[in-house]
Amino acid sequence: MLHRRILSSFLFLVLFISLIPIPHGEAASEPVMQVKLNNYLGNQTQVNLRVQGDYVTSEHKTLLKNNNQYTLKLENGKIKLNQGSTYIGQFDSLILNPAAEGNLLFINQRPYSGSFQFVRETVNKKEVIRPINSIRMEEYLRGVVPSEMFSTWPKEALKAQAVAARTYAFKHNATGIIDDTITFQVYGGFQSYPNSDTAIMETEGQVLKYNGKLIDAVFSASNGGKTESNANAWGGTQVPYFNVKIDDFDPKTQWSFELKKRQIDLTGKSLSDYRQWWSTVNEKDKVITDQIKTWLKNNGYMGKELKIVSIPELSFSAPSSGGRVTKGSITIEFLVKDLVDSSGGLILQRFEVMNGSASKIRAMVGNRTMLSYLVEKTENTTDIIKVQGRGDGHGVGLSQWGAKKRADAGQTVGQILGFYYPGTELITEYTIGIPGMRDVREDYRFYQEIAYLLEKNIITGFPDGNFGPEQTVTRAQAAIMIGRAAGLDGTQRDTIFADVPEASKASGYIASAVEKGIISGFPDKSFRPDEPVTRGQMAIFLAKAFELEREVPLTFTDISENSASYIYIKRILAEGITNGYPDGTYKPERSLKRSEFSAFMARAIDDQFK
């Protein structure tokens, strides 16, 4: 409503200001989530695995090899691992860690990143294989945000979802293992969508707090145009950021369902000779009655065959201050196969909930049938019961559809979060890796060397906020790094190489390095700026750039005295910049990664890294 928005504009401004990200005094480290895979996998005694990259055991022994397929199967209380018909081993539980960042484990064809523990779990008295995925928070969110909100939606809405999901996960991570279902939040494994990935990256480490504590940042699809309070929804103490109020941006998702009171007409059907008709007679409203039968089986009738004969009563009452029903009544008449009286006839069973919890009744008919508790109308005729309502979910906290509509209208992530979680602060709880290089974490092998070069302005990251440490370093990139380290003129200009025009970012450093005799091109007068730098070329570049002269004898079996890099390898070896491999080789033609070249550069500049 327009007058409501005008009257609240000042308060909204104050609220918006409170949701500008505030750096945390002592930043925490990025949490590692423990996620049970229930949703997609279900309860299985056998799972199929495929690996992209090697996976090792907790003892660092390679167990699963790149591009191979395996099977895990429960047999005699053990988890057995096979590759095709070849038996590999058996385990009480199996831990698998990726041998390198970026490796993926496909479980029944769905990819996951991170590490895994496969354990035995008992579900309904049946033992199944349960994977538990250990995964860093930001990577976990890449599987949550597009599973909870369409990745094509506006970025500000996706950012709001990312903050809510991160806050929720951070808080619940302290309680132990969560799962991948709507009981917590849906996690779909490894996913990559530009919009949602960007939203996660731009809110990296940001969470919502109230009075310095993480909030339980719950959310639902649609609040039906009116938010609900936490106390109304779940009982307990009311918190100030979950109040009942009108949401003019929520699209008020409409839903309805109807069911026939008489599901099976028993006229002319013998309850004693029921086997003649049992398998051919079905309920009229199969979707709803299947949900009811599932609920009944989980509440005393497990393993039984049921037929819902009638649902003569279904009603709701006692709306909360948020307009959502809290009470309800339902009567179910049903038959249980082979549950008979002394004469062999089926006994008609009756189950009743009178003025009971609305949540119990919603669980019985199904939460995708009755989308919310915001019931607007119930019609009860002689033959049919029809229920109408609006919203999708509990209505507490963020409305995903409301966030989408707010973003469409130009609201920012701060404004969206400010409406759905009023009075909270948006805090940067942790940062990842080196600023501008989020893929270089503190536990990365060459973290210190890369951080050092960044501080010296010798290296930079890419526009997407990453450094790409595992990417090969190109000749152009190496020229820039060497040029900056040596204080060369990097002004872009023409070069002697046809494949390095003035417009190239590296042109100035390449031209200067050629003038200084540090680097050279190829006989065809090309520089080949996009080709990877080899270990042999690295030795030449660094030895010349830092004017290394001291030499030691070489014993490498793959380096001849006629090699162009021979004397330069002797020099970088003498300075402790590199060494060879355990097999007695140097591998001069092996391409270098950006992280490796950075490490060699740091060692050439500062002895502390040797």
Side-chain angles (χ1 to χ4, degrees):
M1 296 180 184
L2 183 60
H3 69 278
R4 184 187 300 273
R5 295 179 192 169
I6 294 172
L7 289 172
S8 62
S9 60
F10 174 73
L11 292 176
F12 188 80
L13 178 60
V14 172
L15 184 61
F16 171 62
I17 291 171
S18 75
L19 281 159
I20 296 173
I22 301 171
H24 196 274
E26 294 183 8
S29 59
E30 181 186 14
V32 175
M33 302 299 300
Q34 304 286 325
V35 189
K36 275 188 183 182
L37 304 186
N38 295 344
N39 195 29
Y40 167 73
L41 188 64
N43 301 317
Q44 306 293 332
T45 58
Q46 178 176 316
V47 296
N48 298 317
L49 306 179
R50 178 168 66 85
V51 291
Q52 185 174 302
D54 292 350
Y55 277 76
V56 301
T57 66
S58 53
E59 292 81 26
H60 303 287
K61 175 185 175 183
T62 300
L63 191 62
L64 308 186
K65 294 185 178 180
N66 183 36
N67 288 331
N68 283 301
Q69 298 185 31
Y70 303 86
T71 301
L72 289 177
K73 188 175 182 180
L74 271 180
E75 288 184 4
N76 302 319
K78 297 287 185 179
I79 300 175
K80 294 191 175 181
L81 175 65
N82 291 279
Q83 183 180 8
S85 59
T86 303
Y87 170 77
I88 296 176
Q90 65 178 22
F91 313 87
D92 290 317
S93 67
L94 174 62
I95 293 175
L96 294 173
N97 299 313
E101 193 82 18
N103 289 2
L104 295 175
L105 180 65
F106 291 75
I107 302 178
N108 285 4
Q109 300 185 352
R110 175 169 286 190
Y112 295 87
S113 56
S115 299
F116 277 89
Q117 182 179 15
F118 292 85
V119 300
R120 292 173 293 129
E121 182 179 77
T122 301
V123 180
N124 294 328
K125 300 181 180 179
K126 175 185 176 183
E127 196 168 53
V128 300
I129 297 174
R130 181 67 61 209
I132 301 173
N133 190 190
S134 297
I135 183 170
R136 290 189 176 104
M137 174 70 83
E138 300 300 308
E139 186 66 19
Y140 164 71
L141 291 175
R142 292 179 70 187
V144 170
V145 174
S147 297
E148 288 285 359
M149 180 177 280
F150 293 112
S151 63
T152 55
W153 280 10
K155 187 171 69 172
E156 295 302 299
L158 289 164
K159 287 164 72 173
Q161 178 66 71
V163 171
R166 184 183 295 108
T167 306
Y168 181 90
F170 210 134
K171 185 174 179 68
H172 283 266
N173 193 43
T175 65
I177 298 172
I178 65 173
D179 67 35
D180 58 349
T181 71
I182 59 172
T183 302
F184 293 93
Q185 50 191 8
V186 179
Y187 166 60
F190 175 79
Q191 301 183 65
S192 183
Y193 299 96
N195 263 15
S196 52
D197 285 353
T198 300
I200 294 165
M201 185 176 70
E202 291 185 4
T203 62
E204 179 185 284
Q206 292 178 10
V207 296
L208 292 169
K209 288 190 172 184
Y210 186 82
N211 286 342
K213 295 182 179 179
L214 287 166
I215 72 166
D216 201 3
V218 293
F219 50 86
S220 60
S222 166
N223 59 36
K226 193 176 189 180
T227 64
E228 181 59 284
S229 76
N230 64 290
N232 284 343
W234 304 296
T237 304
Q238 175 65 43
V239 296
Y241 44 85
F242 287 145
N243 292 314
V244 175
K245 58 183 175 181
I246 298 298
D247 182 1
D248 292 326
F249 283 87
D250 187 278
K252 301 176 179 62
T253 302
Q254 300 291 313
W255 57 265
S256 68
F257 67 90
E258 68 176 44
L259 53 86
K260 295 173 179 61
K261 291 185 176 182
R262 177 65 60 184
Q263 289 292 318
I264 296 176
D265 186 357
L266 294 178
T267 303
K269 294 179 177 62
S270 170
L271 295 184
S272 298
D273 198 17
Y274 61 91
R275 293 181 182 278
Q276 295 296 318
W277 54 264
W278 184 273
S279 61
T280 59
V281 172
N282 294 303
E283 297 85 356
K284 293 177 180 177
D285 298 305
K286 183 171 171 50
V287 172
I288 296 176
T289 55
D290 279 354
Q291 290 284 350
I292 293 173
K293 285 191 282 189
T294 297
W295 189 92
L296 288 170
K297 288 178 182 180
N298 290 331
N299 289 271
Y301 293 91
M302 183 59 65
K304 304 294 185 181
E305 286 190 46
L306 309 177
K307 295 288 186 185
I308 306 298
V309 176
S310 67
I311 308 171
E313 167 69 16
L314 175 61
S315 61
F316 296 96
S317 59
S320 68
S321 58
R324 290 163 174 83
V325 295
T326 61
K327 299 290 184 180
S329 299
I330 188 169
T331 300
I332 303 166
E333 294 181 333
F334 61 101
L335 297 171
V336 182
K337 189 176 183 180
D338 298 333
L339 182 58
V340 297
D341 58 22
S342 58
S343 63
L346 290 172
I347 305 170
L348 187 65
Q349 307 293 308
R350 187 179 180 90
F351 180 86
E352 291 183 326
V353 175
M354 303 305 293
N355 201 32
S357 167
S359 62
K360 184 175 185 178
I361 296 174
R362 184 182 180 216
M364 294 176 71
V365 301
N367 61 15
R368 300 322 298 158
T369 296
M370 181 178 172
L371 298 187
S372 77
Y373 299 103
L374 201 53
V375 176
E376 295 181 298
K377 186 178 181 181
T378 301
E379 295 180 27
N380 196 326
T381 69
T382 304
D383 302 317
I384 293 175
I385 300 170
K386 183 174 182 180
V387 183
Q388 294 176 289
R390 66 181 194 272
D392 187 351
H394 49 67
V396 184
L398 178 83
S399 161
Q400 293 167 321
W401 276 99
K404 193 262 186 192
K405 294 296 184 181
R406 288 174 181 276
D408 286 340
Q411 290 191 15
T412 65
V413 59
Q415 291 172 314
I416 295 169
L417 294 173
F419 178 82
Y420 291 113
Y421 307 102
T424 61
E425 288 184 313
L426 186 57
I427 301 290
T428 299
E429 186 74 0
Y430 59 84
T431 56
I432 297 175
I434 300 170
M437 298 180 178
R438 63 193 306 274
D439 54 350
V440 182
R441 301 171 184 270
E442 291 184 4
D443 59 354
Y444 188 72
R445 180 184 177 190
F446 298 123
Y447 174 87
Q448 296 294 340
E449 290 90 338
I450 294 170
Y452 172 81
L453 295 183
L454 177 64
E455 184 180 1
K456 297 284 186 182
N457 295 317
I458 293 172
I459 60 174
T460 58
F462 293 111
D464 66 356
N466 290 310
F467 177 66
E470 298 299 303
Q471 296 179 21
T472 55
V473 63
T474 67
R475 287 170 54 83
Q477 291 168 351
I480 293 173
M481 293 167 66
I482 290 170
R484 288 172 176 165
L488 303 182
D489 180 8
T491 304
Q492 291 178 231
R493 57 190 184 274
D494 287 334
T495 71
I496 62 174
F497 304 113
D499 55 354
V500 184
E502 179 183 351
S504 169
K505 181 181 178 181
S507 62
Y509 289 115
I510 291 172
S512 295
V514 169
E515 291 168 6
K516 295 287 185 180
I518 297 173
I519 59 178
S520 59
F522 293 90
D524 63 358
K525 297 184 179 180
S526 67
F527 183 74
R528 302 176 193 174
D530 296 324
E531 283 193 2
V533 174
T534 65
R535 284 172 56 85
Q537 292 171 351
M538 174 273 295
I540 298 171
F541 292 168
L542 296 186
K544 288 184 175 182
F546 295 99
E547 300 178 351
L548 307 180
E549 296 181 352
R550 190 162 62 94
E551 299 178 4
V552 293
L554 291 186
T555 59
F556 299 128
T557 59
D558 58 346
I559 300 292
S560 71
E561 293 186 13
N562 296 325
S563 169
S565 60
Y566 179 76
I567 63 170
Y568 302 106
I569 294 172
K570 293 171 67 175
R571 292 175 184 179
I572 65 169
L573 196 66
E575 296 296 333
I577 293 172
T578 189
N579 48 39
Y581 290 87
D583 63 358
T585 64
Y586 178 77
K587 304 188 190 311
E589 299 305 316
R590 179 180 170 273
S591 298
L592 286 174
K593 299 175 182 178
R594 284 167 57 83
S595 58
E596 293 170 332
F597 192 80
S598 298
F600 296 140
M601 283 280 295
R603 293 170 194 168
I605 297 169
D606 196 320
D607 288 345
Q608 69 171 310
F609 298 111
K610 294 179 181 178

